[in-house]
Amino acid sequence: MLLSAQTQRLQASSARPSQSAIPVLRSPLGRRPQMQIRRLPGVVLPEPLPQQQWPELSEQQQQQHHPDVSCAAGGAAAAADAPTPAYSADFIRRRLVVFVSIVIGYSCYYLTRNSLTYTAPVMVADPKLAMDITQIGAMTSIFPIAYGMSKFVSGVLGARFSPSVLLAGGLMATALINIAFGFGTSLAWFCFFWALNGTLQGVGGPCCARILTTWFASKERGTYWGMWNIAHNLGGFAAPLIAGGFAKSMGWKWGMWAPGIIGLVVGCFVLLACKDKPEDLGFPPVEPAAEKPKEAGEVKPKPNVLKQLLNNVLKNPFIWGMALT
């Protein structure tokens, strides 16, 4: 009996597989496979926590919580919705006439300014004048001094009076001075009128700048300002052809008279074609200016030209430095 019981116990142990013989399943990464959790009977699992529901904010409340984002979005939307200026065909044609008038007008300023440069060799060669190169140098040295001094006053005058009238009037005045220069025979006559010509030459630039500002918006102003600078080259190109050509073929007097006559004709054209601003012809302004609210009983004082000239120009050290350099 004892032997049979031990025999049965050995057979049962041999039939049971050993732990080392059981294959171990491993994942390709060398990790143990995850075990499935079985729900035991009688055990109640806790319910998952409910997800917190946030209240929906209105658009005004969102702007209060995120002011930077809302301001940036509002600014981008305003920039996208900003209408591009649309001009009528009549306005474009009229503005083109104004632009051409200031280009041709300022070109004639250069023509009446450089006329003596190309007439002087013929004056030296004329035996009736008996002039040498030293006297010509004295005349031409007076011009830049007078021209520099005129820039002190021209900016103030351009802001005070009509720029189109000043542009045309200054051109016709320099044209008359060129004509009067041709009737002289003495050095004193030549020096006086050429210094007067330099005094009036500084009127043209500020007037053209003001007209460009009122007729062209800020987005397109740089393009037309660059095209307006062609006037310097046009005047410099025409001066040797007109003044030098007439002086060589018809005498030095016509070297001064021909630019003067052309300046008179162009000055009349500028006076008729050029206007200060679009409102003068019934068009709306290209950039309406926002008016500041005036307080009750506030009276705006009238600007004093002499006071502005004294405070803004004569007392400005930077302007004196630029003038001396």
Side-chain angles (χ1 to χ4, degrees):
M1 293 293 293
L2 181 61
L3 182 60
S4 61
Q6 292 179 355
T7 304
Q8 291 178 359
R9 200 178 294 117
L10 290 173
Q11 291 178 356
S13 61
S14 61
R16 189 186 308 157
S18 62
Q19 186 175 1
S20 61
I22 298 176
V24 179
L25 299 178
R26 296 182 180 274
S27 63
L29 298 179
R31 298 178 181 178
R32 295 183 178 179
Q34 297 181 355
M35 300 177 62
Q36 296 182 357
I37 301 175
R38 295 181 180 180
R39 185 172 181 178
L40 300 177
V43 178
V44 179
L45 295 177
E47 296 292 336
L49 296 175
Q51 187 177 2
Q52 186 175 3
Q53 300 292 334
W54 296 96
E56 296 184 359
L57 300 178
S58 62
E59 184 177 355
Q60 184 178 3
Q61 292 175 342
Q62 291 179 3
Q63 293 180 359
Q64 293 177 357
H65 285 279
H66 304 283
D68 297 336
V69 177
S70 61
C71 292
D81 297 338
T84 56
Y87 304 128
S88 61
D90 189 18
F91 176 80
I92 294 175
R93 286 193 299 267
R94 196 64 185 86
R95 189 175 68 169
L96 181 61
V97 173
V98 173
F99 181 74
V100 171
S101 66
I102 62 176
V103 171
I104 297 178
Y106 199 70
S107 299
C108 286
Y109 270 91
Y110 265 73
L111 178 61
T112 58
R113 181 185 307 174
N114 298 324
S115 55
L116 180 60
T117 304
Y118 303 99
T119 307
V122 185
M123 295 176 64
V124 174
D126 190 353
K128 296 180 180 180
L129 294 177
M131 298 187 66
D132 56 6
I133 196 65
T134 305
Q135 294 173 330
I136 297 295
M139 286 188 295
T140 55
S141 299
I142 296 175
F143 181 89
I145 299 175
Y147 181 58
M149 294 299 296
S150 69
K151 288 183 174 295
F152 283 98
V153 187
S154 59
V156 179
L157 293 178
R160 178 70 175 175
F161 301 101
S162 171
S164 60
V165 175
L166 278 178
L167 179 65
L171 178 57
M172 289 188 286
T174 57
L176 291 174
I177 290 172
N178 274 255
I179 295 175
F181 187 94
F183 288 100
T185 56
S186 63
L187 180 62
W189 179 279
F190 295 147
C191 291
F192 170 76
F193 280 99
W194 204 240
L196 188 59
N197 185 25
T199 305
L200 295 173
Q201 285 288 333
V203 179
C207 295
C208 292
R210 187 178 173 190
I211 294 172
L212 276 170
T213 304
T214 55
W215 277 94
F216 298 93
S218 57
K219 293 184 179 180
E220 55 188 356
R221 195 173 299 155
T223 302
Y224 286 92
W225 182 268
M227 291 190 294
W228 173 80
N229 280 289
I230 301 175
H232 303 76
N233 306 97
L234 291 177
F237 174 77
L241 297 178
I242 297 175
F246 275 92
K248 183 179 180 180
S249 59
M250 302 180 66
W252 71 268
K253 294 180 180 292
W254 278 100
M256 304 298 297
W257 290 345
I261 294 172
I262 295 175
L264 285 176
V265 175
V266 175
C268 294
F269 166 72
V270 172
L271 186 62
L272 296 175
C274 186
K275 300 298 179 182
D276 296 343
K277 50 187 180 297
E279 295 90 322
D280 295 341
L281 297 175
F283 297 107
V286 292
E287 288 181 342
E291 297 183 357
K292 296 181 180 180
K294 296 182 179 180
E295 298 180 358
E298 181 182 0
V299 179
K300 186 177 181 181
K302 295 182 179 180
N304 190 349
V305 179
L306 296 178
K307 188 176 180 180
Q308 289 182 356
L309 178 62
L310 179 63
N311 296 331
N312 299 332
V313 180
L314 297 180
K315 291 184 178 180
N316 193 334
F318 298 101
I319 294 181
W320 282 103
M322 293 176 62
L324 293 176
T325 54

